[in-house]
Amino acid sequence: MEAAAKDSDLLGLYQEIILDHGKSPRNAGVIENADCRSDGKNPLCGDRVAVTTELDQQQSIADIKFDGKGCAISIASASMMTEAVKGLSITEARLIFEAVRTICSKEASVLDAMQDVGNKLAPRLEKLASLSGVRQFPARVKCATLPWHTLMSCLDGKATASTER
Ligand code: ZN
């Protein structure tokens, strides 16, 4: 197969795991009666994603789904995110979010980021390592981080709502 240079760059970016998640997204959909919901958009690329989560008594993420329309990177990142944060506390989800933001936008090594998040979260972060490929493509960084920002908004919304309970 002939591939232009740009395509081969994209092949490097859209590694196997990203392709897989882009084609067969995990946890796609909307949770009815979700504890929180947030809608995110990335006007730069046209990506949209809605994140709904269900929290358990310990305020851990018992369930999470995303409903997205957009490029393969945004869908893959959302899919990978739902797998990565399910079962985590809100604090842990924030740690993973910060680490993902770091590996997607800075020249930080994934191994360093894994050390920073600690033993429990490191294996989850490792599965997200392929997202770090977007930093070679600054225009795509927001595609990868959109679902994560949306999740943070979702969890922030939950925190605000819980003071009224
Ligand atoms: Zn995009």
Side-chain angles (χ1 to χ4, degrees):
M1 195 179 85
E2 292 259 341
K6 202 171 181 183
D7 287 341
S8 61
D9 284 344
L10 277 177
L11 284 176
L13 169 61
Y14 293 12
Q15 291 165 13
E16 202 173 318
I17 187 166
I18 292 183
L19 278 175
D20 178 44
H21 279 268
K23 279 183 190 167
S24 316
R26 322 295 200 270
N27 304 305
V30 174
I31 298 173
E32 286 185 37
N33 306 314
D35 289 307
C36 59
R37 175 192 170 116
S38 187
D39 292 272
K41 60 180 173 182
N42 169 22
L44 206 65
C45 179
D47 309 315
R48 287 170 175 274
V49 65
V51 173
T52 47
T53 65
E54 193 181 307
L55 302 175
D56 65 17
Q57 300 284 331
Q58 287 76 41
Q59 298 288 289
S60 291
I61 299 171
D63 200 8
I64 174 167
K65 287 187 188 295
F66 81 96
D67 187 23
K69 281 196 173 69
C71 67
I73 286 285
S74 68
I75 300 297
S77 180
S79 172
M80 292 163 76
M81 176 185 79
T82 59
E83 288 197 323
V85 304
K86 200 178 273 194
L88 295 185
S89 70
I90 292 175
T91 305
E92 290 166 337
R94 285 190 200 288
L95 274 173
I96 287 263
F97 160 73
E98 293 294 345
V100 166
R101 194 159 66 165
T102 298
I103 64 170
C104 284
S105 58
K106 295 175 188 163
E107 291 299 319
S109 89
V110 173
L111 283 176
D112 284 348
M114 283 170 61
Q115 281 197 337
D116 289 346
V117 296
N119 288 341
K120 180 182 176 186
L121 300 181
R124 293 181 185 239
L125 184 61
E126 188 174 21
K127 289 186 180 175
L128 300 165
S130 54
L131 291 175
S132 68
V134 297
R135 63 187 176 200
Q136 300 169 53
F137 305 88
R140 311 312 292 275
V141 170
K142 286 183 178 173
C143 302
T145 56
L146 168 70
W148 295 85
H149 283 290
T150 308
L151 171 62
M152 290 304 112
S153 304
C154 185
L155 296 175
D156 285 345
K158 169 62 187 167
T160 307
S162 70
T163 60
E164 297 175 9
R165 286 193 174 182

